[in-house]
Amino acid sequence: MTQPAVPDAFNLDVVQMRLDAIAQGMQETIFRTAVSPVVREGADASCALFSATGELLALSDAIPLLLGALPGSVDAILARFPAETMAEGDIFFMNDPFDGGTHLPDITVLVPIFSQRRLIAFAASILHHQDIGGMRPGSVPPDATSIFQEGLRLPPTRLARNGTILPEAEGLIRLNSRVPDTVLGDIAAQIAAAEDAARSLRTIATETGESAFLDATAACLDRAEHQSESLIAALPDGPFQGADGLDPTPGRPPVEVRVRLTLADGRISADFTGSSPQVAAPINCVRSGPLSALLYAVLSLAPATMYRNGGLLRRISLTLPEASVVNAAPPAPVNARTGMVRCITAAVLQALAQAAPERMPAANSGMSFVLAFSGSWPDGRSFVTTEIIAGGAGGGPDADGADAVSTDVGNAMNMPAEALEEIAPIRLVSARIRRGSGGPGRWRGGNGIERVYEALVDAVSVSLRGDRFERVSEGLMGGGRPQSSRATVLRTDGTQISLTARSAFTLDRGDRLVVESCGGAGYGAATPA
């Protein structure tokens, strides 16, 4: 395609940077005002701006795992509530994984933005909520066999009219969540972030005029498409193959991901034919997962000057087998989809490394622990809280992998002890780098994390989701494999219980849970001592 024209009197770099800053400002508002520690401290939320026609305009520097879901969620809401029927003060929300979402705790909030009564953009955010119902507190049951066990499933729904939350929408949350005030507080943070974005965008539209603003945003999308085409065209055509898999679920068949990348005519096509059929375990993911993985993979090769917007999405195509682990259909459970999306990402990066071996690192840990703790304080107050625990990064072409960091499609923060101990009767006994867990090599893989928790009351319910207990990634260019993950319960009577990658159990007073995450793979053969 030819270089797109630039509207008169506009510097598109400045326009895109202002849009990016507004999206980032949304995210910072959420982090400052959210109720849940997993958001305030763990950063489990993402924000974006969309054009008046529903194309992605700007992304926050957040979790790619979530950002890939926002385009599908926005499309679903606009299909149910066409833009021309919206009015100022309308707010919409949804979480249906099979209609653009990820898993049920991730709720998308969408706000149309008007200037002089003209629709100029949308502000969208997606946030992991503490509890949305289901068979276990925290709404991430590791033993779910159906979506119906995982919680409230919201189709695109009107949340507010004239800026006021509708009683029936609030009632849906209050009747289905174990901690409705927390969920509604976090939704309020999402709305506040959108209101901040609306004020900033109206300022720009007023400065330039609404028509000029819309022309400039359209030109930003066209430029991003041109940049993406050039980036992809500079790579070999392929095809390139990648494959990975998850730890086996007891009683279920092995789960494999296979991808075939083709980079031709300035387009990147990912064909996942050959991936396993969906299973009756919560490790399946939906279309937003492969899209997140591919979006991340392409951006990992992009220069800092490349625009991050929907122009890139125009150059991406996916082929996904129906009712598979990479494109599940109802009633498949999906709450533990993070491991599958990381598995998909590893397979995509493995294939892309064949196209650009001098630029791609070895595989990351390919996992994160997600823990949901719930129970009651001695005075009867209930609690539900979530912890996210990262692993190690893969060694790179010229550097060791980073220790104890959320990698690739994850970008969550390590959570401080104070955030947990303030809201739950659980003590974080220790938190440290798991030395030696990264894969050996000329450039070693980053180490994982060891965290030890102690229950301060009886009957603390725990849902644990992890992966790479049995199957870890190979090193690159002769590098070694990392140590696998593990999790252990230490009872007060001296009993030790080794857990599987997806476990549900109870801790009594004095019992401890030890979690040890996987490191990253090594890059290059180690130099003899």
Side-chain angles (χ1 to χ4, degrees):
M1 63 183 290
T2 58
Q3 177 74 30
V6 178
D8 292 341
F10 272 101
N11 181 319
L12 288 192
D13 289 345
V14 173
V15 174
Q16 187 64 54
M17 283 190 289
R18 291 186 76 174
L19 295 173
D20 291 344
I22 292 169
Q24 188 65 23
M26 288 178 64
Q27 179 171 288
E28 297 304 323
T29 296
I30 285 180
F31 292 166
R32 288 196 307 269
T33 60
V35 178
S36 303
V38 74
V39 180
R40 284 189 288 108
E41 304 286 353
D44 200 352
S46 296
C47 301
L49 299 176
F50 287 79
S51 72
T53 56
E55 282 197 90
L56 180 65
L57 285 179
L59 301 169
S60 63
D61 293 331
I63 298 179
L65 177 66
L66 297 181
L67 289 173
L70 282 171
S73 298
V74 171
D75 286 347
I77 292 172
L78 292 178
R80 173 66 181 83
F81 300 96
E84 58 270 21
T85 68
M86 294 181 179
E88 193 158 359
D90 285 346
I91 305 175
F92 306 90
F93 72 154
M94 60 87 67
N95 72 347
D96 186 0
F98 306 110
D99 197 11
T102 58
H103 66 169
L104 298 182
D106 290 342
I107 296 178
T108 294
V109 171
L110 180 71
V111 176
I113 299 172
F114 294 83
S115 179
Q116 300 296 322
R117 299 185 179 180
R118 186 174 183 182
L119 180 66
I120 59 169
F122 294 94
S125 62
I126 185 168
L127 182 152
H128 182 102
H129 288 266
Q130 284 295 152
D131 184 275
I132 203 70
M135 65 187 288
R136 292 190 182 277
S139 308
V140 287
D143 47 348
T145 58
S146 164
I147 188 73
F148 300 109
Q149 298 170 315
E150 296 185 328
L152 174 65
R153 184 171 155 204
L154 282 167
T157 302
R158 185 183 297 276
L159 173 62
R161 182 179 279 113
N162 297 321
T164 301
I165 292 181
L166 300 174
E168 55 268 34
E170 180 177 339
L172 272 176
I173 300 300
R174 292 202 175 277
L175 291 176
N176 286 280
S177 174
R178 297 171 178 87
V179 286
D181 289 336
T182 298
V183 174
L184 291 168
D186 285 342
I187 287 175
Q190 292 179 266
I191 294 172
E195 291 172 344
D196 282 354
R199 284 189 289 269
S200 297
L201 288 173
R202 287 193 195 102
T203 297
I204 299 175
T206 300
E207 291 172 354
T208 63
E210 284 72 24
S211 294
F213 172 80
L214 293 172
D215 288 344
T217 55
C220 286
L221 289 164
D222 290 342
R223 177 165 293 183
E225 182 178 12
H226 177 79
Q227 292 172 331
S228 303
E229 180 186 44
S230 299
L231 173 71
I232 296 167
L235 297 169
D237 287 356
F240 304 105
Q241 311 284 341
D244 202 355
L246 293 183
D247 289 342
T249 299
R252 308 293 178 198
V255 169
E256 303 289 336
V257 169
R258 301 192 182 281
V259 65
R260 183 175 187 267
L261 289 186
T262 304
L263 301 92
D265 302 320
R267 298 188 60 84
I268 181 167
S269 301
D271 186 346
F272 288 88
T273 300
S275 297
S276 297
Q278 67 188 40
V279 294
I283 58 174
N284 308 286
C285 77
V286 291
R287 185 182 186 278
S288 60
L291 180 60
S292 296
L294 203 57
L295 181 63
Y296 166 80
V298 176
L299 288 174
S300 70
L301 293 175
T305 54
M306 182 167 155
Y307 295 4
R308 299 184 306 154
N309 66 33
L312 168 57
L313 295 177
R314 296 173 181 175
R315 312 303 298 180
I316 288 175
S317 62
L318 296 173
T319 300
L320 301 171
E322 296 293 329
S324 66
V325 291
V326 300
N327 185 29
V334 296
N335 78 78
R337 95 282 179 225
T338 302
M340 178 55 63
V341 182
R342 288 186 179 277
C343 178
I344 293 167
T345 305
V348 169
L349 292 177
Q350 181 188 121
L352 206 54
Q354 299 164 39
E358 75 288 353
R359 298 166 65 182
M360 299 301 293
N364 298 313
S365 64
M367 58 78 60
S368 59
F369 280 109
V370 180
L371 308 176
F373 296 101
S374 63
S376 297
W377 289 85
D379 62 6
R381 290 179 294 130
S382 62
F383 67 88
V384 179
T385 191
T386 302
E387 292 261 301
I388 301 174
I389 303 164
D398 56 6
D400 292 337
D403 298 332
V405 64
S406 186
T407 54
D408 48 69
V409 290
N411 194 26
M413 305 297 288
N414 292 317
M415 297 174 64
E418 295 84 354
L420 169 68
E421 294 173 0
E422 176 187 14
I423 63 170
I426 298 168
R427 176 179 295 122
L428 183 61
V429 178
S430 66
R432 59 191 175 192
I433 291 175
R434 187 186 177 200
R435 299 293 178 189
S437 57
R442 180 181 179 189
W443 303 108
R444 67 161 180 81
N447 293 303
I449 297 174
E450 179 193 276
R451 284 169 77 97
V452 181
Y453 301 88
E454 181 177 332
L456 303 181
V457 296
D458 289 337
V460 175
S461 295
V462 186
S463 293
L464 178 147
R465 296 183 297 138
D467 215 274
R468 307 296 181 179
F469 280 52
E470 298 183 29
R471 184 169 181 170
V472 298
S473 297
E474 298 288 341
L476 189 63
M477 307 295 289
R481 294 153 53 98
Q483 290 185 13
S484 59
S485 306
R486 60 189 180 195
T488 309
V489 171
L490 307 178
R491 300 292 187 192
T492 55
D493 64 2
T495 302
Q496 295 189 18
I497 303 171
S498 296
L499 302 173
T500 60
R502 289 166 287 279
S503 300
F505 52 95
T506 299
L507 298 176
D508 288 326
R509 182 182 177 91
D511 290 344
R512 292 186 174 188
L513 168 65
V514 182
V515 292
E516 299 169 88
S517 62
C518 179
Y523 184 100
T527 303

